Amino acid sequence: TQLLEQSPQFLSIQEGENLTVYCNSSSVFSSLQWYRQEPGEGPVLLVTVVTGGEVKKLKRLTFQFGDARKDSSLHITAAQPGDTGLYLCAGGGPSTDKLIFGTGTRLQVFP
Amino acid sequence: KAGVTQTPRYLIKTRGQQVTLSCSPISGHRSVSWYQQTPGQGLQFLFEYFSETQRNKGNFPGRFSGRQFSNSRSEMNVSTLELGDSALYLCASSSNYGYTFGSGTRLTVV
């Protein structure tokens, strides 16, 4: 069974601080996606990484796929209250057709 | 371009009843996946349909079933509802770029 563990589970920080969320597995994935979900809504795709060692930046968010394609990280610089939400990583393939979701990290950014 | 539409948004049912949830994917998307989201278990995969065929199934009991129509709209059905079925049920249509989720159906079983 493929599992994706995220840490930390909860994160509560002040506006302007930096943070990193980790997504780890013992399995290899062909691709890894990050989503953000706000209360009462479905997850929204932020980024997809497919190459080991790949780094993608989305404004203040930096995503990295591990060299062995078993782990990923999301770094947010100068967090803002609008970053508040549930962050989910999700892995796809090669041994599964379905998307496996991580356990989630709930981020709260206070003004 | 319309997103993924799920109906109804909220539902309250009694134990033992059955329920049908509906999902209309993004126009042109033929793959629809269903997930159950609970605080304790996170997002758990239910099943995936592609061109009216179930392509993948998660580890849920047979009370959970689904189908997809020729226009790609999908429905999922839960029979003999249990209290533990209370959850947010999410539908996603997928393309090469990733999944697009609907807003979900919040099911409460009392």
Side-chain angles (χ1 to χ4, degrees), chain A residues 13-51:
Chain A
I13 61 172
Q14 292 294 131
E15 182 176 3
E17 291 185 28
N18 301 331
L19 67 115
T20 301
V21 177
Y22 299 94
C23 173
N24 295 296
S25 175
S26 57
S27 303
V28 174
F29 290 97
S30 299
S31 67
L32 204 127
Q33 300 173 358
W34 284 91
Y35 293 80
R36 182 173 73 204
Q37 184 178 20
E38 298 187 20
E41 297 298 326
V44 175
L45 179 64
L46 296 174
V47 77
T48 300
V49 285
V50 298
T51 305

Side-chain angles (χ1 to χ4, degrees), chain B residues 28-40:
Chain B
H29 286 195
R30 292 189 291 166
S31 172
V32 173
S33 297
W34 288 89
Y35 286 82
Q36 180 196 64
Q37 187 176 31
T38 58

Side-chain angles (χ1 to χ4, degrees), chain A residues 33 35 37 40-45 48 86 88 96-103, chain B residues 9 35 37 42-43 45 48 55-58 88 90 97-99 101-104:
Chain A
Q33 300 173 358
Y35 293 80
Q37 184 178 20
E41 297 298 326
V44 175
L45 179 64
T48 300
L86 177 67
L88 296 156
T96 176
D97 293 332
K98 61 194 181 198
L99 205 59
I100 308 294
F101 278 85
T103 48
Chain B
R9 284 296 307 270
Y35 286 82
Q37 187 176 31
L43 271 107
F45 173 76
E48 181 203 1
R55 194 160 65 171
N56 255 308
K57 191 177 190 305
L88 180 66
L90 291 161
Y97 303 101
Y99 280 32
F101 282 88
S103 297

Side-chain angles (χ1 to χ4, degrees), chain A residues 4-6 21-25 32 34 70-73 89:
Chain A
L4 278 167
E5 296 286 339
Q6 286 185 238
V21 177
Y22 299 94
C23 173
N24 295 296
S25 175
L32 204 127
W34 284 91
K70 293 183 179 181
D71 54 85
S72 180
S73 64
C89 64

